[in-house]
Amino acid sequence: MSIALDLDHASHPARASAPARRSLVGLSKPKLREALAGIGLDEREAKMRASQLWNWVYFHGVTDFERMTNIQKGVRQTLADHFLLDRPEIVSEQVSIDGTRKWLFRFRDPQNPRLPPVEIETVYIPEEDRGTLCVSSQVGCTLTCSFCHTGTQTLVRNLTAGEILGQILMARERLGDFPAGQRPADGGLVPSGETRAITNIVMMGMGEPLYNYDSVKDALLIAQAEDGISLSKRRITLSTSGVVPQIEPAGREIGVMLAISLHAVRDDLRDMLVPINRKYPLKALIQACRDYPGLSNARRITFEYVMLRDINDSDADARELVRLLSGIPAKINLIPFNPWPGTNYDCSSSARIEKFADIVNRAGYASPVRTPRGRDIFAACGQLKSETERLRKKDREALAGV
Ligand code: SAH
Ligand code: SF4
């Protein structure tokens, strides 16, 4: 059974009538100080207020300047006159029979609130030992991997760092992860041995994170910062379909765990399944993986491999996979294909997946088969999509007043 809640839209602060105020969510500390200096705070005060704001926004989860009790009333008012601490609007929240939650979030364009809002999906997957939030980086995707539902949605736009963080902050609030927060009534969400529901973040929602590099980088650095959300970079994974030139910078500048959507071990097949392969073929991709900064047995790369019946699931494919990855500290994640309306693919049989996993295991690789989660609410890998469509250029310009 799944339930869908329709939550109150009216209370959202980022309404079209407040276009002049700028959001502070997603600004790095130096940019936050700059924004505060821009409204007349001197250097010393800007620095102090930036630290206080950071703590209120990311640690306490506060969205209203009035609640920032260690900031004088007059300053709180000035901040509220100039800035927003906005969050996405929740269009719907669905809970799967297996406890997976999916939110449809709505954002307005921060640059131009007159443009129609965009919608994206974010998923929370509770497990025994961890709670993973699957975060989106783009509305739609420019890439067209043939087995992926998101790939059928043309890219509408990149999300900003604030919108990427907004998903995390809103999920933390709904799951009761802030210090003064309320856990959901169904409870039982905090994994054993942990203090909060969200222990891990994966950039595996809608979009290709390395095609929105700057915003993803800003957001993930903020998610790691100690006096805020404070998630270790080992608990954050960025998944890419293989944007080779951005892989090294991601390791060096963001430092999170890397996952590669491999899905095929021969160029001819990968060209069809993951078309970015035509631009960055397997040889270049595998070399970028070998060169990934910080790679070691303790920090392995995860290779995702979707199991498609009679397409990429033979014993020969499994053996070639092992050969291709030899020498790379790797985990292989076998993902049973999740169907979506209109797809021509089928999932491999359980027996086939087991045989494939066995070959990979015998070669010394951990190869867990990812249990599909939230299929009943269309929250599983590759099933995410929203209704937002790209406007025609003419309409966009008219709305933007160009
Ligand atoms: N764009 C990035 C992030 C998305 S991650 C990337 O491609 O890596 C989502 C993961 O689910 C990717 O490994 C993707 O290839 C995989 N996936 C896509 N469609 C799927 C489907 N229908 N069933 C199972 N996995 C799928
Ligand atoms: Fe985009 Fe990733 Fe889906 Fe490919 S698998 S279409 S890169 S979201």
Side-chain angles (χ1 to χ4, degrees), residues 73-93:
K73 206 165 173 33
V75 182
R76 296 203 298 257
Q77 189 54 54
T78 311
L79 290 171
D81 289 343
H82 290 88
F83 300 120
L84 292 168
L85 299 171
D86 53 343
R87 297 252 182 96
E89 185 179 338
I90 302 179
V91 181
S92 67
E93 177 176 286

Side-chain angles (χ1 to χ4, degrees), residues 347-359:
C347 184
S348 312
S349 68
S350 314
R352 184 87 298 272
I353 298 178
E354 256 170 55
K355 183 80 195 304
F356 195 100
D358 191 48
I359 295 174

Side-chain angles (χ1 to χ4, degrees), residues 79-255:
L79 290 171
D81 289 343
H82 290 88
F83 300 120
L84 292 168
L85 299 171
D86 53 343
R87 297 252 182 96
E89 185 179 338
I90 302 179
V91 181
S92 67
E93 177 176 286
Q94 290 175 278
V95 185
S96 154
I97 36 171
D98 68 20
T100 299
R101 272 160 207 256
K102 182 172 84 168
W103 293 278
L104 180 63
F105 287 141
R106 179 178 295 161
F107 297 98
R108 297 197 173 269
D109 189 316
Q111 252 65 56
N112 198 326
R114 289 172 62 195
L115 288 178
V118 295
E119 293 177 350
I120 55 96
E121 297 189 311
T122 307
V123 176
Y124 173 70
I125 307 140
E127 288 174 277
E128 247 323 278
D129 62 336
R130 66 178 60 192
T132 305
L133 191 71
C134 180
V135 173
S136 292
S137 56
Q138 299 183 307
V139 186
C141 190
T142 46
L143 302 172
T144 50
C145 303
S146 51
F147 50 86
C148 173
H149 201 199
T150 311
T152 64
Q153 183 180 8
T154 321
L155 179 76
V156 178
R157 69 168 172 82
N158 281 337
L159 294 177
T160 63
E163 290 167 337
I164 295 169
L165 280 162
Q167 298 169 61
I168 303 173
L169 295 173
M170 203 65 198
R172 291 193 73 192
E173 177 167 321
R174 297 296 302 163
L175 297 170
D177 261 356
F178 288 117
Q182 286 251 310
R183 299 272 177 218
D186 54 0
L189 289 171
V190 177
S192 50
E194 299 287 347
T195 53
R196 48 192 185 172
I198 300 172
T199 62
N200 291 65
I201 287 177
V202 292
M203 294 303 298
M204 294 189 185
M206 292 163 58
E208 168 48 61
L210 293 186
Y211 273 157
N212 184 14
Y213 184 80
D214 291 339
S215 298
V216 167
K217 172 179 143 187
D218 285 355
L220 294 185
L221 289 177
I222 292 174
Q224 292 172 35
E226 269 189 4
D227 46 351
I229 299 172
S230 191
L231 265 175
S232 146
K233 59 186 169 196
R234 289 177 175 237
R235 290 178 171 230
I236 303 178
T237 301
L238 185 152
S239 174
T240 179
S241 57
V243 185
V244 166
Q246 294 304 118
I247 290 179
E248 189 276 336
R252 181 166 38 83
E253 298 180 337
I254 316 178

